[in-house]
Amino acid sequence: MNHGAMWKYYADKINQAYGYRVKRTNAPEELEVKARDVDYPYQFQCVRCGQVVKRQKMSKFVKYYKRYRCGKCGGGFKKI
């Protein structure tokens, strides 16, 4: 998306005409939307640095987590 001069022009017109707060980005709180609680049934922790990796769905990483290494320190993972 190009949020250049033309986009800003129309956003300003809509804001003035309708009292909206059209912006390029909004935080959930600004939109009065509650952040949803996400359930992560698969959680893994690096044995070296302690980084936690969370997954919602079954994936190759979830099935074969012992084959993978931490991106921060290169340590292995354990299931938590």
Side-chain angles (χ1 to χ4, degrees), residues 2 12 23 26 31 48 52 56 63 75 79:
N2 180 6
D12 186 48
K23 300 188 311 184
N26 286 324
L31 299 173
R48 191 180 294 170
V52 175
Q56 289 181 299
K63 284 184 179 180
K79 196 171 189 177

Side-chain angles (χ1 to χ4, degrees), residues 50-75:
Q51 174 182 327
V52 175
V53 175
K54 299 176 182 180
R55 295 288 185 264
Q56 289 181 299
K57 297 179 180 179
M58 179 62 68
S59 65
K60 286 183 181 180
F61 175 77
V62 172
K63 284 184 179 180
Y64 310 110
Y65 65 91
K66 291 182 180 181
R67 296 180 183 175
Y68 290 83
R69 296 284 171 230
C70 176
K72 286 185 177 180
C73 69

Side-chain angles (χ1 to χ4, degrees), residues 4-78:
M6 186 64 75
W7 185 91
K8 290 176 185 175
Y9 170 80
Y10 284 116
D12 186 48
K13 289 286 187 186
I14 291 170
N15 288 341
Q16 289 177 7
Y18 299 106
Y20 290 158
R21 297 172 297 167
V22 175
K23 300 188 311 184
R24 191 177 60 81
T25 60
N26 286 324
E29 298 82 27
E30 292 176 311
L31 299 173
E32 299 175 8
V33 175
K34 292 183 180 178
R36 63 185 180 124
D37 291 329
V38 178
D39 182 34
Y40 294 101
Y42 308 107
Q43 296 186 27
F44 305 88
Q45 186 173 27
C46 174
V47 295
R48 191 180 294 170
C49 72
Q51 174 182 327
V52 175
V53 175
K54 299 176 182 180
R55 295 288 185 264
Q56 289 181 299
K57 297 179 180 179
M58 179 62 68
S59 65
K60 286 183 181 180
F61 175 77
V62 172
K63 284 184 179 180
Y64 310 110
Y65 65 91
K66 291 182 180 181
R67 296 180 183 175
Y68 290 83
R69 296 284 171 230
C70 176
K72 286 185 177 180
C73 69
F77 288 99
K78 67 177 181 179

